[in-house]
Amino acid sequence: AQSVSQHNHHVILSEAASLELGCNYSYGGTVNLFWYVQYPGQHLQLLLKYFSGDPLVKGIKGFEAEFIKSKFSFNLRKPSVQWSDTAEYFCALRGYSSASKIIFGSGTRLSIRP
Amino acid sequence: ETGVTQSPTHLIKTRGQQVTLRCSSQSGHNTVSWYQQALGQGPQFIFQYYREEENGRGNFPPRFSGLQFPNYSSELNVNALELDDSALYLCASSPGGTGNTEAFFGQGTRLTVV
């Protein structure tokens, strides 16, 4: 079965704390992996993506993610969060074929206390 | 801004009615996909169009249908609306060809069925 699991539904942190959001996937083949962010009232934006190569991927706004193939994981990290990081975060995958849909996780709501 | 525009932004319909949502893809993108995002959940794939042909469909009933036009813009039509159809509908465009591409999302249409 093709799926993406995000284990943390709601994470609450103080400013300057470190962040790690978990993501595990199930897919029978080669995948591309993504993290999207949805700020309140805004559209989905791409934070970072992994297609191939270096499994440590750096994205916008200081975010990074590590692809660990043996663990089917693609966790998102940020060393020091800011109040403006308050948003919903979605992990997603897409297979290689031209007809591939994007499969999203259920999302993690991140709340940052100022 | 992603260059993907959706209209209308908000819509209220009565159960049993029909609705048409529209999406203009980013310039140069020949693939458009539609997603339904219920409150508190991740986006769910409805279907995808590539060069005016449907080339992928998720687990949605036939009353969800679509079109893609020669300029690659797209419509999502939903007949016989049900209360559970209330959701944010997202359109995404990508260059197509393979799944090895990034998708760019519009801001969505918030549909409320009463």
Side-chain angles (χ1 to χ4, degrees):
Chain A
Q2 303 169 1
S3 65
V4 176
S5 297
Q6 293 181 245
H7 311 298
N8 312 106
H9 296 293
H10 189 192
V11 172
I12 303 172
L13 295 173
S14 298
E15 277 196 312
S18 64
L19 169 72
E20 181 160 3
L21 300 182
C23 172
N24 288 93
Y25 69 91
S26 173
Y27 190 85
T30 306
V31 295
N32 301 311
L33 294 161
F34 308 87
W35 275 96
Y36 285 89
V37 61
Q38 192 170 35
Y39 297 104
Q42 296 189 26
H43 61 269
L44 276 172
Q45 300 175 37
L46 184 70
L47 270 181
L48 48 80
K49 60 189 177 187
Y50 173 79
F51 286 172
S52 63
D54 188 344
L56 186 59
V57 179
K58 294 192 183 300
I60 62 171
K61 306 186 180 187
F63 286 92
E64 65 177 34
E66 185 176 11
F67 170 54
I68 303 179
K69 190 174 181 180
S70 61
K71 294 184 178 180
F72 298 93
S73 70
F74 191 56
N75 292 353
L76 181 70
R77 299 194 291 250
K78 186 172 184 178
S80 176
V81 296
Q82 302 172 317
W83 180 80
S84 58
D85 293 325
T86 296
E88 188 92 19
Y89 292 80
F90 294 96
C91 182
L93 70 80
R94 191 177 197 184
Y96 262 30
S97 78
S98 62
S100 278
K101 59 187 177 185
I102 301 175
I103 301 170
F104 287 87
S106 55
T108 296
R109 184 156 60 102
L110 176 64
S111 300
I112 307 297
R113 291 189 289 248
Chain B
E1 293 300 322
T2 64
V4 180
T5 57
Q6 293 185 242
S7 63
T9 55
H10 293 84
L11 199 55
I12 300 175
K13 287 286 191 177
T14 302
R15 188 173 50 183
Q17 284 187 314
Q18 178 266 343
V19 68
T20 297
L21 310 182
R22 295 178 175 82
C23 171
S24 293
S25 59
Q26 187 171 337
S27 177
H29 288 185
N30 55 21
T31 300
V32 172
S33 49
W34 287 91
Y35 295 80
Q36 180 195 67
Q37 186 177 14
L39 203 60
Q41 297 183 23
Q44 298 293 313
F45 175 74
I46 302 174
F47 45 56
Q48 177 170 284
Y49 280 84
Y50 172 62
R51 294 183 176 177
E52 303 179 59
E53 299 273 337
E54 184 183 295
N55 74 340
R57 190 176 181 93
N59 190 26
F60 281 81
R63 59 189 185 85
F64 286 77
S65 63
L67 282 173
Q68 188 179 31
F69 300 100
N71 66 354
Y72 303 133
S73 66
S74 178
E75 286 182 355
L76 163 66
N77 298 292
V78 187
N79 293 322
L81 283 167
E82 301 176 0
L83 296 179
D84 285 348
D85 296 332
S86 295
L88 181 67
Y89 288 85
L90 297 168
C91 167
S93 78
S94 55
T98 71
N100 201 26
T101 57
E102 175 186 340
F104 296 84
F105 285 84
Q107 83 282 7
T109 294
R110 174 73 63 187
L111 172 65
T112 302
V113 182
V114 297

